[in-house]
Amino acid sequence: MNKIEIYTRPGCGYCTHAKRLLESKGLDYSEYDTYAQPEKFQELRRRTQARTFPQIFVDDLAVGGFEDLLKLEQQNRLPK
């Protein structure tokens, strides 16, 4: 089973879309709200230089944001 993590912020439409996509595929994920958990924001900065939300990781590898996740889904490359 793959470990999926998603770093989000409140009011982020792309974050909502990414979570819905993962849920529609029946994939479990850990969500880190970087506003409610400021330490997760610092952790995110150590993991990637990306400045947009969401930021998604699969098995500790940075996937990118929602559009990157959507491309993986369209290519049937999301974890099963």
Side-chain angles (χ1 to χ4, degrees):
M1 175 146 229
N2 297 92
K3 176 178 138 186
I4 301 173
E5 300 167 284
I6 180 169
Y7 290 81
T8 62
R9 67 173 178 79
C12 170
Y14 285 113
C15 298
T16 301
H17 291 312
K19 292 186 293 183
R20 284 186 185 154
L21 176 59
L22 293 170
E23 291 164 4
S24 75
K25 297 295 180 179
L27 297 170
D28 293 326
Y29 60 89
S30 297
E31 178 181 3
Y32 307 122
D33 181 330
T34 58
Y35 278 35
Q37 301 169 288
E39 69 279 4
K40 291 296 184 181
F41 183 77
Q42 295 306 315
E43 177 182 292
L44 176 62
R45 291 298 157 240
R46 287 190 295 275
R47 295 180 81 179
T48 182
Q49 296 300 311
R51 299 284 184 221
T52 59
F53 287 91
Q55 286 301 311
I56 303 157
F57 293 80
V58 176
D59 293 332
D60 295 321
L61 296 174
V63 169
F66 169 68
E67 291 179 359
D68 302 300
L69 183 69
L70 186 58
K71 285 178 190 174
L72 288 178
E73 192 274 332
Q74 291 169 342
Q75 297 168 353
N76 290 320
R77 294 178 51 210
L78 280 181
K80 302 282 185 226

